[in-house]
Amino acid sequence: MNEVIVERPSAHVAVIRMNRPEARNALNQAVRSGLAEHFTALSQDREVRCIVLTGGDTVFAAGADIRDMADRGAVEIMLRNTHTLWQTIAACPKPVIAAVSGLAWGGGCELAMHADIIVAGRSASFCQPEVKVGIMPGAGGTQRLNRAVGKFKAMKMVLTGLPVSADEASAMGLVSEVVADAEVHTRALELAQLIASRPPLAVAQIKEVLIAGEDASLETGLMLERKAFQLLFASRDQKEGMHAFLEKRDPQFTGE
């Protein structure tokens, strides 16, 4: 059974689905490697304009595979170089939407935070429980979480290991939208298709500048934004978009 599956539900949209239901999509090396492989391939596929990352209907990913870690040594864990697999997701130039149903715990919460938009079902929950088994988050659970929700909310989550509901996560700024459980996948696809209909070069520049500016000074971030804004006037899509607006017709963007 393939532990990570790629689907193409519509033009320009790809879905990456974790498929390890017997282990609640626990992130073993095979799943991490599969995710890295598919994100690398889709990042280079010009036909793909937006990616949806999802798990099952009742669990997104319940964390790392503890059975695969319990008796490992520090050097063995280090030599796995797992961070290089995560980096392929973080470096993806296409917008990524996480469609989260059920548990997004531990590595699952960290994985969701690699996305650009998170759509959560009403019964979804987010948790960094690593402290309960004698370790700490190791794939962004202290750094991305802190940047997303601030020190005080992040400290509570990582020090107690307690979960937060989808509504709590939304109030904290950890998710983009909360929808009915049955609508998670549909809503994620709707957003993906909408983003895929936008001009690809502009979308790519928006994502790159927004992320690059997160840890830059305001002055530097504004400079990056200004240069990217100016660059887009060299694209055919800019001409198409503005002339379509003036001519009161739908634009046809080609990514050129």
Side-chain angles (χ1 to χ4, degrees), residues 94-116:
K94 315 292 176 70
V96 178
I97 301 173
V100 178
S101 297
L103 304 180
W105 285 27
C109 185
E110 291 170 316
L111 178 58
M113 288 191 289
H114 278 68
D116 303 301

Side-chain angles (χ1 to χ4, degrees), residues 10-253:
S10 61
H12 307 307
V13 173
V15 175
I16 298 178
R17 184 184 302 278
M18 292 171 285
N19 184 42
R20 202 180 174 215
E22 77 288 351
R24 301 196 300 176
N25 289 336
L27 300 171
N28 62 5
Q29 285 299 96
V31 172
R32 294 191 189 98
S33 295
L35 289 170
E37 177 185 344
H38 290 306
F39 269 101
T40 298
L42 294 175
S43 292
Q44 299 168 357
D45 188 339
R46 289 197 62 185
E47 289 300 308
V48 174
R49 299 183 182 181
C50 193
I51 300 169
V52 174
L53 172 63
T54 192
D57 292 335
T58 58
V59 60
F60 178 73
D65 192 334
I66 300 299
R67 293 182 184 277
D68 188 44
M69 298 169 63
D71 296 316
R72 307 297 182 185
V75 172
E76 188 175 1
I77 292 294
M78 180 186 72
L79 292 176
R80 287 183 173 186
N81 288 316
T82 303
H83 68 282
T84 62
L85 302 178
W86 288 100
Q87 183 57 30
T88 61
I89 306 172
C92 180
K94 315 292 176 70
V96 178
I97 301 173
V100 178
S101 297
L103 304 180
W105 285 27
C109 185
E110 291 170 316
L111 178 58
M113 288 191 289
H114 278 68
D116 303 301
I117 295 172
I118 300 177
V119 177
R122 189 73 58 189
S123 65
S125 65
F126 298 81
C127 185
Q128 297 291 165
E130 290 85 353
V131 70
K132 295 165 68 175
V133 294
I135 57 171
M136 63 177 284
T142 61
Q143 301 305 304
R144 284 192 172 86
L145 185 62
N146 188 32
R147 286 162 171 76
V149 306
K151 170 187 172 181
F152 301 107
K153 295 291 187 181
M155 280 289 193
K156 181 181 177 183
M157 285 184 67
V158 297
L159 292 177
T160 67
L162 295 175
V164 297
S165 68
D167 286 332
E168 289 177 284
S170 180
M172 291 161 58
L174 183 56
V175 305
S176 308
E177 288 188 16
V178 178
V179 299
D181 291 333
E183 297 174 7
V184 172
H185 191 64
T186 299
R187 179 56 178 159
L189 284 178
E190 286 177 353
L191 288 171
Q193 289 159 357
L194 177 60
I195 293 169
S197 73
R198 303 306 193 204
L201 294 176
V203 167
Q205 288 296 295
I206 288 168
K207 174 171 178 172
E208 183 177 12
V209 169
L210 195 153
I211 291 175
E214 283 184 314
D215 295 320
S217 67
L218 177 60
E219 181 180 359
T220 299
L222 289 171
M223 182 272 290
L224 293 171
E225 179 185 81
R226 184 169 61 252
K227 293 301 182 183
F229 171 81
Q230 294 164 354
L231 176 64
L232 288 171
F233 279 80
S235 70
R236 293 181 181 178
D237 279 347
Q238 174 266 324
K239 302 298 185 291
E240 167 65 11
M242 291 191 174
H243 282 286
F245 176 83
L246 294 173
E247 295 163 11
K248 295 180 169 52
R249 60 177 175 82
D250 292 333
Q252 300 298 316
F253 296 120

